[in-house]
Amino acid sequence: MNRIGKSACDQCTACTEICPRYLLGYDVQPHKVMRSLGFTTSGVDYWNKFATYCCSCGLCTLYACPEDLFPREACEQAKNSMRETGNSYRQEKEPKIHSMKNYRRVPTQSLLQRLRITKYEGPTPFVDDVPVPEDVCVLLQQHAGKPSIPVVSVGDIVNGRDLIAEPDGDSLGARIHAPLSGKVSEITAEYIRIVVDVVAETGGKTV
Ligand code: SF4
Ligand code: SF4
């Protein structure tokens, strides 16, 4: 990445011109950070500072750079290097929003094409009629700490959202609720099984 960047970056500044932090008026200039890869005698520390206010959004690498280089990654390297060497940079002048900010937008379709993921784009409508299972096993440990302790017994009828297990005393744990209405059919150390009342859950509708 560094070798390619060092040899191929032509300092076109496209990465900086599209950078949302730069457009907001922060002194983020990834094309200058690219200079820290080696084609400068001014010193890495001097150029690294232009990464300080980078938020690592990735737009410069994923969208802007016509050479398919890695300005975002160069900025991350620069920030790490500054951290390790104890260097810091503070922008003195007040951030001033760039006059082109509202016009330098990235169309979603262009981004999809640039990322070569257009073929994965498709409608994802909300699906209301999810199949209702015949039974569910609700794990007693879905969290850090100890498994929760059942507060129901085999044969109990539970409604969806009823409490079925609680933390063990003062131990770290979580309260666990029934995801669906039904009858408790089995309790083990790991789970509570509920035979689902399919009619109650679907209102008698076939799904
Ligand atoms: S990754 Fe950093 S330098 Fe690149 S566009 Fe985002 S904020 Fe700007
Ligand atoms: S867009 Fe790419 S080629 Fe242009 S200055 Fe930035 S890193 Fe270099």
Side-chain angles (χ1 to χ4, degrees):
M1 186 182 81
N2 287 351
R3 281 201 303 272
I4 294 170
K6 179 179 172 180
S7 62
C9 176
D10 57 12
Q11 290 290 285
C12 69
T13 75
C15 49
T16 294
E17 294 297 334
I18 202 86
C19 170
R21 302 284 287 166
Y22 170 76
L23 292 172
L24 279 171
Y26 293 101
D27 199 8
V28 182
Q29 300 190 60
H31 76 284
K32 289 187 179 172
V33 180
M34 292 296 282
R35 295 178 192 170
S36 69
L37 301 185
F39 48 85
T40 169
T41 53
S42 313
V44 166
D45 288 340
Y46 179 77
W47 300 112
N48 276 353
K49 69 176 183 224
F50 294 104
T52 303
Y53 292 88
C54 160
C55 66
S56 296
C57 70
L59 206 57
C60 49
T61 292
L62 297 173
Y63 185 79
C65 181
E67 315 275 353
D68 275 343
L69 303 180
F70 303 92
R72 185 262 305 267
E73 288 71 9
C75 286
E76 282 170 357
Q77 274 181 187
K79 286 184 279 183
N80 287 337
S81 165
M82 288 179 75
R83 217 170 286 129
E84 283 160 16
T85 54
N87 281 336
S88 63
Y89 169 64
R90 188 183 170 88
Q91 178 174 337
E92 294 299 335
K93 62 176 188 210
E94 272 294 300
K96 182 166 176 277
I97 292 179
H98 197 291
S99 57
M100 292 299 288
K101 178 182 174 292
N102 288 341
Y103 308 101
R104 281 195 200 141
R105 300 259 171 115
V106 176
T108 306
Q109 284 304 324
S110 302
L111 184 61
L112 291 172
Q113 279 173 10
R114 187 85 170 83
L115 297 175
R116 302 177 188 92
I117 56 173
T118 311
K119 65 180 176 182
Y120 301 110
E121 177 71 348
T124 53
F126 179 71
V127 177
D128 199 11
D129 285 344
V130 291
V132 175
E134 289 181 1
D135 61 357
V136 289
C137 286
V138 185
L139 296 177
L140 291 168
Q141 181 147 30
Q142 305 180 30
H143 46 264
K146 286 185 172 180
S148 292
I149 305 296
V151 296
V152 290
S153 306
V154 171
D156 284 357
I157 302 294
V158 292
N159 292 315
R161 297 189 286 276
D162 279 357
L163 180 70
I164 57 173
E166 281 202 296
D168 185 3
D170 290 335
S171 304
L172 182 65
R175 306 183 94 202
I176 296 174
H177 299 80
L180 298 164
S181 303
K183 187 174 184 177
V184 178
S185 66
E186 185 184 4
I187 297 177
T188 73
E190 283 90 38
Y191 60 82
I192 297 172
R193 183 189 298 274
I194 299 170
V195 175
V196 176
D197 184 342
V198 178
V199 175
E201 286 297 332
T202 61
K205 207 171 48 165
T206 307
V207 293

